[in-house]
Amino acid sequence: MNKFIYILFGVLVLSSCSEYQKALKSDDVEYKTTVFLKQVEKKKYSKATRLFEQYAASYRGKAQSENAFFNYAHALYMNKQYISAAYQFESFASSYPKSPKAEEAAFLGAECYSKTSPMYSLDQVDTEKGLNKIQAFINKYPNSTLLPKANEVVKQLTEKLELKAYEIAKQYNTIGEFTRDYNAAVKALDNFMFNYPGSKYKEDALFYKYDSMYKLAVNSVPAKKEERLNTTKVYYQNLVKFKADTKYLEKANKMLEKVDKELKQYTN
């Protein structure tokens, strides 16, 4: 019985392969399309795209081509060929604006750009492009049923840009150990908090701003030291006002003790 099943399976596989090979060699567009759609249904996306690309140029614009072109774009998407898929989805939405699938194509095309977004530590040009594309979709289809997905993509991309911006600002504090330019760190962290006022990294940014001013103050020339020490105390207050039980409290308090000790020479 098992042997019979294996033989039957083998025959079916050979038949399927034979049909696909026949379609590759055929000049019959309708036959190619039928086999192409079968490959999509079987999730054989590489085979499907290879076959469709043989005749796509001559097939575009025909009344019966709408479904095939959407499936082609979707096959590219499922095969993680996001740049090509984005182009095809956008082309579909433009070529078939009245199609029931035009809105979905517009969303998937925009989402494809978000799929090319790299990890936050790398250049974020593609992330910004993806964000612009998905925002354009939201503006065009404000009542779309795909809006929750679109908003989730916006959230993910925005958070990535936010983390990138925070890490860049924090880096100024890190390299201050070598450059002694803590003013640049304070300014960078200020800019970050201005651009992302509700950021989940605000506590961290407030601490590193305090830390930067502290290091600037304690290493200052006498003429500027008192003013900078007092500014450091202000930054400490900003931190604990934002979060009284901040995770940096112990370290921040030890720094404040030194600031107060340094200031005593001016009060005396």
Side-chain angles (χ1 to χ4, degrees), residues 7-19 42 47:
I7 292 172
L8 180 60
F9 179 75
V11 169
L12 291 172
V13 170
L14 288 173
S15 174
S16 176
C17 290
S18 175
E19 183 181 50
K42 294 175 183 177
K47 284 186 174 182

Side-chain angles (χ1 to χ4, degrees), residues 226 230 260-268:
E226 183 181 10
N230 282 317
D260 286 335
K261 185 177 180 180
E262 292 271 349
L263 279 170
K264 282 183 180 179
Q265 62 181 304
Y266 298 101
T267 57
N268 295 332

Side-chain angles (χ1 to χ4, degrees), residues 115-126:
K115 297 285 189 181
T116 66
S117 171
M119 60 186 297
Y120 80 90
S121 59
L122 300 177
D123 186 274
Q124 294 300 303
V125 170
D126 286 340

Side-chain angles (χ1 to χ4, degrees), residues 6-260:
Y6 288 136
I7 292 172
L8 180 60
F9 179 75
V11 169
L12 291 172
V13 170
L14 288 173
S15 174
S16 176
C17 290
S18 175
E19 183 181 50
Y20 175 71
Q21 292 300 324
K22 182 179 177 182
L24 286 175
K25 297 174 184 178
S26 175
D27 293 325
D28 186 341
V29 171
E30 295 304 318
Y31 179 66
K32 281 179 177 288
T33 301
T34 299
V35 177
F36 158 72
L37 293 174
K38 283 184 179 180
Q39 297 302 314
V40 171
E41 188 177 344
K42 294 175 183 177
K43 300 183 180 180
K44 304 287 186 179
Y45 300 117
S46 293
K47 284 186 174 182
T49 56
R50 181 188 172 196
L51 179 59
F52 191 73
E53 284 164 1
Q54 282 191 333
Y55 65 97
S58 62
Y59 199 49
R60 189 176 294 278
K62 294 185 178 181
Q64 67 270 36
S65 66
E66 179 182 319
N67 184 52
F69 269 100
F70 181 86
N71 277 283
Y72 171 55
H74 193 260
L76 289 168
Y77 176 89
M78 295 303 294
N79 218 28
K80 298 184 179 181
Q81 294 175 255
Y82 296 121
I83 298 300
S84 296
Y87 173 80
Q88 293 300 332
F89 277 127
E90 288 182 332
S91 179
F92 178 90
S94 175
S95 300
Y96 306 99
K98 295 182 180 180
S99 170
K101 292 185 176 294
E103 182 180 316
E104 183 181 1
F107 169 73
L108 290 172
E111 188 191 30
C112 281
Y113 288 101
S114 73
K115 297 285 189 181
T116 66
S117 171
M119 60 186 297
Y120 80 90
S121 59
L122 300 177
D123 186 274
Q124 294 300 303
V125 170
D126 286 340
T127 303
E128 291 173 351
K129 186 174 183 179
L131 192 57
N132 290 335
K133 291 286 185 179
I134 205 73
Q135 190 60 58
F137 169 80
I138 292 171
N139 294 341
K140 187 174 182 179
Y141 299 99
N143 300 313
S144 173
T145 57
L146 294 167
L147 202 60
K149 288 184 178 180
N151 286 330
E152 182 60 30
V153 174
V154 168
K155 181 174 179 289
Q156 291 171 2
L157 297 182
T158 301
E159 286 180 351
K160 188 179 290 188
L161 290 176
E162 180 182 322
L163 176 56
K164 175 73 172 182
Y166 166 68
E167 289 294 341
I168 290 173
K170 180 185 173 185
Q171 191 174 34
Y172 280 94
N173 173 274
T174 303
I175 63 176
E177 297 288 343
F178 308 98
T179 65
R180 296 299 176 184
D181 186 9
Y182 288 107
N183 270 320
V186 170
K187 184 176 181 180
L189 289 157
D190 262 339
N191 288 339
F192 169 76
M193 288 185 282
F194 178 81
N195 291 326
Y196 299 93
S199 173
K200 62 182 178 181
Y201 304 109
K202 186 171 182 177
E203 177 187 356
D204 305 276
L206 284 168
F207 170 75
Y208 284 108
K209 181 183 174 183
Y210 167 57
D211 180 68
S212 297
M213 181 52 72
Y214 166 81
K215 289 172 180 174
L216 178 64
V218 297
N219 293 295
S220 288
V221 295
K224 297 182 178 180
K225 196 166 189 175
E226 183 181 10
E227 180 185 355
R228 288 174 174 174
L229 286 168
N230 282 317
T231 301
T232 303
K233 292 193 70 171
V234 172
Y235 289 175
Y236 170 84
Q237 292 298 330
N238 290 341
L239 172 63
V240 295
K241 183 179 180 181
F242 176 75
K243 191 170 184 181
D245 61 342
T246 173
K247 60 187 176 183
Y248 298 108
L249 189 60
E250 184 177 353
K251 187 175 181 179
N253 284 340
K254 286 181 179 179
M255 291 159 62
L256 184 65
E257 287 175 10
K258 185 169 182 178
V259 169
D260 286 335

